[in-house]
Amino acid sequence: MSAASPVDQPTSPFAYVPYRLFWFARIFAILALQMQIVATGWRVYDVSGSAMALGFIGLAEFLPSILLVLVTGHVADRFDRRKVINFCQGLEILAMLVLWLALWDDNTKALWPAFLAVTILGTARAFEMPAASSLVPNLVPPALFPRAVALNSSAWQAASIVGPALGGVGYGLLGHWIFAVCALFFAIAFILVRFIRLPPRTQAPSAKQISLETLFAGFRFIWGKPIVLGAISLDLFAVLLGGATALLPVLAKDQFHAGPVMAGILRAAPSVGALATGLALAWWPVRRRIGHVLFICVAAFGVGTIIFGLTSSALIAGVALVVMGAVDMVSVFIRQSLVQLETPDDMRGRVSAVSSLFIGASNQLGEFESGVTAAWWGAGTAVVVGGVGTLVIVALWCTLFPALRKVDRFPGAPPA
């Protein structure tokens, strides 16, 4: 990153080679992860016939992010983040090879090697996510970081749409060999990250002695920074209350009178809206009144959730889900940009680890909350109540976090 004048400075993150390498590495890694999720589910169920085994697979992949949250962020802040990412990608390649061998035989009864592989994968992901999030601000100037966030989110959404389809088709054509393909994709990501070169000052974060103070520093920093705490907690409670996609199978059948094909289309609708919005934000990012825009988008997410729960039309439901995905992408764009730019570089790993934990927990707990309330009141009513709850959270957070509501520009952004 040169010290060019603002007039001469590139306007796209892709103008910087380190960011290009990182972006394509993330594409291959996310594709491999999404393909693996689908293929592992199919393969484990094919060889075991047990739905309980599928539940344990999901648990084995999610638990490491909870158990290791204090360590993963500290590692991202203490060591060279590129090396941390590379090491994790090496573990992901190993996990794919173990899955490939563990599920080779159609008649296998021993599933523990597959659970071990998924646990290795979950552990690698737990360390990789905060390191990858913390590395992005080192790849582009602060003024271009919001665009980089938008492009990263677009890559995630595109891979989340294409990856499961590739995983299903690949498993149908290749069987257990699909895990070798996933290993190849992780290997490509590994090579791309190896070629990233950064200025000396961003090569490795400063090392500090590990202590309880440094381990809990991420939580303490978030608690003492109202803008960061407000942004992370707003997303946490909005997703926890407003997440309605977990009830799609029930709503598609009972409320929209549609089959599995329509349910699949509706499931993809939020990603379609998010992908289109992410690409738009990469070229026309939000620059002013970002606090107001954040609250408006979360409120729009709640309104979309209410419409989704009230309607009996699959078409209206689909439009509502596309809009929900679009406004959610804007809120994610603002939240991630604010959190990373408001956090000092030597703290970004720990703060990213806590943020990732909150997001993951909100998704998991949101699905649980949706299931419980649907059992109490019915699926449609549960979705509407969740949407109303999101609006209540927006109103409360406007009062509790006025500093977040009043944020005008991203830190480091050039004046208008």
Side-chain angles (χ1 to χ4, degrees):
M1 289 177 280
S2 63
S5 67
V7 175
D8 299 328
Q9 196 175 68
T11 58
S12 170
F14 281 121
Y16 297 88
V17 174
Y19 180 79
R20 286 205 302 269
L21 291 170
F22 178 82
W23 191 85
F24 282 107
R26 299 301 295 158
I27 283 282
F28 279 101
I30 297 166
L31 280 175
L33 179 68
Q34 296 293 333
M35 291 165 63
Q36 173 273 143
I37 291 173
V38 173
T40 301
W42 277 103
R43 189 63 179 170
V44 167
Y45 192 70
D46 278 348
V47 300
S48 70
S50 170
M52 182 66 73
L54 297 180
F56 281 119
I57 286 289
L59 184 64
E61 193 163 346
F62 177 68
L63 268 183
S65 63
I66 298 178
L67 300 177
L68 299 172
V69 62
L70 294 178
V71 181
T72 56
H74 199 283
V75 168
D77 287 334
R78 184 177 175 87
F79 300 102
D80 187 325
R81 288 160 184 160
R82 294 166 307 153
K83 293 181 179 179
V84 174
I85 295 170
N86 261 160
F87 181 78
C88 293
Q89 290 167 337
L91 287 179
E92 289 161 350
I93 295 170
L94 174 64
M96 292 303 99
L97 296 177
V98 173
L99 270 177
W100 185 24
L101 296 174
L103 300 176
W104 185 289
D105 187 356
D106 291 340
N107 298 314
T108 184
K109 299 299 181 184
L111 289 180
W112 68 264
F115 289 119
L116 174 63
V118 173
T119 302
I120 293 173
L121 179 64
T123 302
R125 295 289 300 165
F127 281 94
E128 183 180 3
M129 288 177 65
S133 298
S134 309
L135 181 63
V136 178
N138 301 141
L139 304 179
V140 296
L144 289 182
F145 179 70
R147 287 185 174 180
V149 169
L151 287 169
N152 286 352
S153 298
S154 298
W156 177 274
Q157 294 296 337
S160 297
I161 295 172
V162 175
L166 285 179
V169 173
Y171 180 72
L173 295 175
L174 303 174
H176 63 276
W177 285 85
I178 187 64
F179 298 115
V181 177
C182 294
L184 175 62
F185 279 23
F186 278 127
I188 294 173
F190 177 93
I191 293 170
L192 290 171
V193 172
R194 288 289 293 177
F195 279 103
I196 293 177
R197 296 291 180 266
L198 297 175
R201 64 185 178 85
T202 59
Q203 287 284 339
S206 59
K208 295 181 179 179
Q209 288 295 112
I210 298 178
S211 64
L212 286 177
E213 181 182 355
T214 59
L215 287 175
F216 284 94
F219 288 95
R220 190 168 58 253
F221 176 85
I222 291 173
W223 184 259
K225 198 79 170 176
I227 291 176
V228 176
L229 176 62
I232 292 177
S233 58
L234 178 64
D235 179 81
L236 166 67
F237 287 105
V239 173
L240 178 64
L241 296 174
T245 52
L247 298 177
L248 258 175
V250 179
L251 291 169
K253 181 179 179 181
D254 298 340
Q255 191 160 311
F256 308 142
H257 306 292
V261 173
M262 180 57 69
I265 294 173
L266 292 175
R267 183 79 184 190
S271 293
V272 172
L275 175 60
T277 304
L279 292 174
L281 287 170
W283 301 110
W284 302 286
V286 181
R287 298 183 185 277
R288 298 295 307 274
R289 299 173 64 84
I290 57 177
H292 282 86
V293 173
L294 174 63
F295 280 102
I296 289 171
C297 286
V298 177
F301 184 84
V303 172
T305 302
I306 294 172
I307 294 173
F308 176 68
L310 289 175
T311 185
S312 59
S313 167
L315 177 61
I316 295 175
V319 172
L321 288 171
V322 169
V323 173
M324 288 164 62
V327 296
D328 184 55
M329 172 58 77
V330 178
S331 68
V332 166
F333 162 80
I334 294 174
R335 174 178 52 79
Q336 289 188 355
S337 300
L338 276 177
V339 170
Q340 293 293 339
L341 293 175
E342 288 279 353
T343 305
D345 187 63
D346 62 349
M347 287 287 300
R348 284 189 177 124
R350 282 164 286 182
V351 171
S352 295
V354 176
S355 178
S356 298
L357 174 64
F358 283 4
I359 293 169
S362 66
N363 287 326
Q364 300 292 330
L365 292 176
E367 292 184 3
F368 175 74
E369 178 269 341
S370 296
V372 171
T373 53
W376 290 347
W377 307 318
T381 303
V383 171
V384 172
V385 170
V388 173
T390 298
L391 295 179
V392 172
I393 290 295
V394 170
L396 283 175
W397 259 236
C398 279
T399 303
L400 294 175
F401 298 96
L404 176 62
R405 176 169 47 85
K406 295 175 182 177
V407 173
D408 185 41
R409 294 187 180 94
F410 292 116

